């Protein structure tokens, strides 16, 4: 494992992708979920060095406001 110098910050990403939101007045997106998965894969590479919150991107029906809040709160607790 690589140790972090005191000046390096931990990089954390919460990634959300939803093609079709319930009760949305706008047309569904075609590639939001696939793009979120690809973005997570790239950000998690050693070249980018991000930790992805949770078990990966929150996608589709799992990407509720409550799930986003839970993921943020879990991450904050983990940082304490």
């Amino acid at each position: 494992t690589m140790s972090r110098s005191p000046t390096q910050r931990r990089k954390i990403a919460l990634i959300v992708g939803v093609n079709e939101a319930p009760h949305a007045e706008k047309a569904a997106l075609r590639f939001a979920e696939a793009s979120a998965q690809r973005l997570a894969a790239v950000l998690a590479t050693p070249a980018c060095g991000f930790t992805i919150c949770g078990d990966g991107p929150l996608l589709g029906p799992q990407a509720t406001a409550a799930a986003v809040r839970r993921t943020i709160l879990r991450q904050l607790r983990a940082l304490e």
Side-chain angles (χ1 to χ4, degrees):
T1 62
M2 293 175 32
S3 62
R4 231 178 272 140
S5 75
T7 58
Q8 286 181 315
R9 295 180 188 259
R10 186 169 178 200
K11 298 185 285 186
I12 302 167
L14 171 58
I15 301 172
V16 179
V18 179
N19 287 346
E20 192 169 335
H23 314 294
E25 295 176 12
K26 303 208 183 239
L29 300 173
R30 292 180 59 199
F31 306 110
E33 294 171 27
S35 293
Q37 290 174 316
R38 286 193 303 275
L39 178 62
V42 170
L43 291 179
T45 64
C48 292
F50 277 81
T51 299
I52 308 303
C53 286
D55 297 324
L58 290 172
L59 303 172
Q62 290 92 23
T64 63
V68 170
R69 280 192 295 274
R70 272 193 310 273
T71 303
I72 291 170
L73 290 173
R74 267 191 228 122
Q75 189 61 49
L76 288 172
R77 284 188 213 112
L79 293 173
E80 294 176 345

